[in-house]
Amino acid sequence: MSSYQKELEKYRDIDEDEILRTLSPEELEQLDCELQEMDPENMLLPAGLRQRDQTKKSPTGPLDRDALLQYLEQQALEVKERDDLVPFTGEKKGKPYIQPKREIPAQEQITLEPELEEALSHATDAEMCDIAAILGMYTLMSNKQYYDAICSGEICNTEGISSVVQPDKYKPVPDEPPNPTNIDEMLKRVRSNDKELEEVNLNNIQDIPIPVLSELCEAMKTNTYVRSFSLVATKSGDPIANAVADMLRENRSLQSLNIESNFISSTGLMAVLKAVRENATLTELRVDNQRQWPGDAVEMEMATVLEQCPSIVRFGYHFTQQGPRARAAQAMTRNNELRRQQKKR
């Protein structure tokens, strides 16, 4: 028996029920919050979210890419290089290769008219590139040069054929700025049923505690002004999905719900879909890009919900099975047609 197994033997006869009976109500409530925040057996969560951070070092702040590269470069310079097995002396051995001149046979030589030879001899690289494009020699240039020469009536390429090995320059796309939403202030406004609050957007805020999200969903049950509720990429799991399902059963003003890019399993999605059947005001639902594929049963349930809920006219999910995809497409077409007819009336 290994030392690790011997260490586990002393925990074999521990009575968990007896330990739970000795805890006070405050300790039980704190334990419940701890178990909601971390779940070591939940394979849907990343390793860093299955348990609390136990490091004793203070945080170093946000990522500084320039400082990290400078540190790595300095560390690489300080590492001593190993000695070569054969020291480099700079001596050149052998003779340099000189490519022999190839004489063009007489039958392969091309003779042009004097006017054409004079024009080509004085042509610039840009003009030669356009001529090659007109003659169909697209392998001598990039796609951009070829189509610029074909579609334009004048010489627009100033780089010449030598630029074929250079890639096209694209403008860098900046990163999306962080979500500036204040969670506590948003929760207060939802609870007070603020008339000016019509959208709750918590997208990409990944450090929201589960109890706070549950309180927000609880406050949304009685809110009558919020029209859009979005929890994209908030690391929400099945507990939040169940809270959202309870909210949908009571809320009668919400029109758009977006819970994409989270860790919701098939059980949580099934609870949300069942609650959507009891909600007649929701017009948009987005549940795509979860941690794992929900399965055939959930996709069939999605198609059934769309068929039974004519109020939903926008649905965000990428079906993997042909059957549910066809049923969902037909149901969405019918729902949008019904909405169009209602607007005409």
Side-chain angles (χ1 to χ4, degrees), residues 237-252:
D238 287 347
I240 303 303
N242 293 328
V244 170
D246 295 338
M247 179 264 295
L248 289 175
R249 292 188 179 94
E250 299 186 21
N251 186 281
R252 292 297 178 265

Side-chain angles (χ1 to χ4, degrees), residues 137-342:
M137 301 177 183
Y138 55 87
T139 57
L140 298 178
M141 63 201 71
S142 63
N143 290 336
K144 183 177 182 300
Q145 294 174 337
Y146 178 74
Y147 288 108
D148 286 346
I150 292 297
C151 301
S152 178
E154 56 186 19
I155 298 177
C156 55
N157 175 37
T158 59
E159 299 174 350
I161 299 180
S162 60
S163 65
V164 66
V165 297
Q166 299 178 1
D168 296 333
K169 296 181 179 179
Y170 297 97
K171 296 181 179 179
V173 180
D175 295 335
E176 185 177 355
N179 193 333
T181 304
N182 190 329
I183 308 299
D184 297 333
E185 182 181 355
M186 182 66 67
L187 181 57
K188 292 180 181 178
R189 296 181 65 185
V190 173
R191 284 176 174 172
S192 61
N193 204 9
D194 190 354
K195 296 181 179 180
E196 298 180 357
L197 181 62
E198 295 185 356
E199 180 182 4
V200 176
N201 185 351
L202 304 181
N203 296 347
N204 301 320
I205 304 180
Q206 302 182 359
D207 56 351
I208 307 176
I210 292 179
V212 175
L213 287 176
S214 300
E215 292 177 6
L216 186 61
C217 294
E218 186 69 23
M220 281 290 298
K221 292 181 180 181
T222 56
N223 190 283
T224 58
Y225 294 102
V226 175
R227 299 291 183 265
S228 176
F229 189 57
S230 183
L231 297 176
V232 179
T234 55
K235 297 183 180 179
S236 300
D238 287 347
I240 303 303
N242 293 328
V244 170
D246 295 338
M247 179 264 295
L248 289 175
R249 292 188 179 94
E250 299 186 21
N251 186 281
R252 292 297 178 265
S253 62
L254 189 65
Q255 297 178 359
S256 175
L257 175 63
N258 192 343
I259 53 175
E260 292 181 340
S261 303
N262 284 301
F263 303 140
I264 302 175
S265 66
S266 57
T267 305
L269 287 179
M270 192 69 75
V272 173
L273 293 173
K274 290 181 179 179
V276 170
R277 293 183 177 182
E278 305 177 19
N279 190 296
T281 60
L282 195 67
T283 61
E284 180 180 2
L285 176 62
R286 300 186 180 277
V287 295
D288 198 12
N289 194 28
Q290 300 301 327
R291 183 73 175 184
Q292 66 175 5
W293 177 55
D296 295 338
V298 177
E299 291 194 354
M300 294 295 291
E301 182 68 19
M302 290 178 182
T304 304
V305 168
L306 294 178
E307 291 172 348
Q308 297 178 358
C309 298
S311 62
I312 299 181
V313 294
R314 289 186 294 272
F315 184 70
Y317 180 77
H318 180 72
F319 287 91
T320 58
Q321 301 298 325
Q322 179 62 26
R325 184 190 302 120
R327 290 176 53 193
Q330 185 177 3
M332 293 301 298
T333 303
R334 183 204 61 186
N335 294 349
N336 282 274
E337 180 65 20
L338 291 175
R339 176 60 61 88
R340 186 183 65 83
Q341 293 178 0
Q342 291 175 359

Side-chain angles (χ1 to χ4, degrees), residues 15-224:
D15 190 358
E16 294 87 353
D17 297 334
E18 182 64 26
I19 296 177
L20 292 176
R21 282 194 293 269
T22 58
L23 296 178
S24 62
E26 292 78 9
E27 293 175 337
L28 288 174
E29 183 178 357
Q30 182 180 2
L31 178 61
D32 186 33
C33 293
E34 293 286 343
L35 293 177
Q36 286 184 351
E37 290 290 340
M38 62 178 185
D39 189 0
E41 297 181 358
N42 190 354
M43 300 301 294
L44 301 179
L45 296 177
L49 297 179
R50 297 180 191 173
Q51 60 182 2
R52 289 188 176 277
D53 187 8
Q54 301 178 5
T55 58
K56 298 181 179 179
K57 295 177 60 178
S58 59
T60 57
L63 174 64
D64 189 351
R65 184 175 181 273
D66 296 335
L68 178 60
L69 292 177
Q70 184 177 3
Y71 170 76
L72 294 176
E73 183 179 357
Q74 183 66 26
Q75 189 179 23
L77 293 175
E78 294 176 356
V79 175
K80 183 180 179 181
E81 297 183 359
R82 64 179 183 180
D83 298 333
D84 297 332
L85 298 178
V86 179
F88 176 72
T89 59
E91 179 184 0
K92 295 183 178 179
K93 298 182 179 180
K95 298 180 179 180
Y97 173 75
I98 300 177
Q99 184 177 3
K101 296 182 178 179
R102 176 178 175 272
E103 297 182 359
I104 302 176
Q107 60 271 17
E108 295 183 7
Q109 293 182 0
I110 300 176
T111 304
L112 300 177
E113 297 180 1
E115 294 82 0
L116 293 178
E117 289 187 356
E118 183 179 0
L120 292 176
S121 62
H122 295 85
T124 62
D125 290 343
E127 293 172 341
M128 293 293 292
C129 186
D130 283 359
I131 292 174
I134 295 172
L135 297 178
M137 301 177 183
Y138 55 87
T139 57
L140 298 178
M141 63 201 71
S142 63
N143 290 336
K144 183 177 182 300
Q145 294 174 337
Y146 178 74
Y147 288 108
D148 286 346
I150 292 297
C151 301
S152 178
E154 56 186 19
I155 298 177
C156 55
N157 175 37
T158 59
E159 299 174 350
I161 299 180
S162 60
S163 65
V164 66
V165 297
Q166 299 178 1
D168 296 333
K169 296 181 179 179
Y170 297 97
K171 296 181 179 179
V173 180
D175 295 335
E176 185 177 355
N179 193 333
T181 304
N182 190 329
I183 308 299
D184 297 333
E185 182 181 355
M186 182 66 67
L187 181 57
K188 292 180 181 178
R189 296 181 65 185
V190 173
R191 284 176 174 172
S192 61
N193 204 9
D194 190 354
K195 296 181 179 180
E196 298 180 357
L197 181 62
E198 295 185 356
E199 180 182 4
V200 176
N201 185 351
L202 304 181
N203 296 347
N204 301 320
I205 304 180
Q206 302 182 359
D207 56 351
I208 307 176
I210 292 179
V212 175
L213 287 176
S214 300
E215 292 177 6
L216 186 61
C217 294
E218 186 69 23
M220 281 290 298
K221 292 181 180 181
T222 56
N223 190 283
T224 58

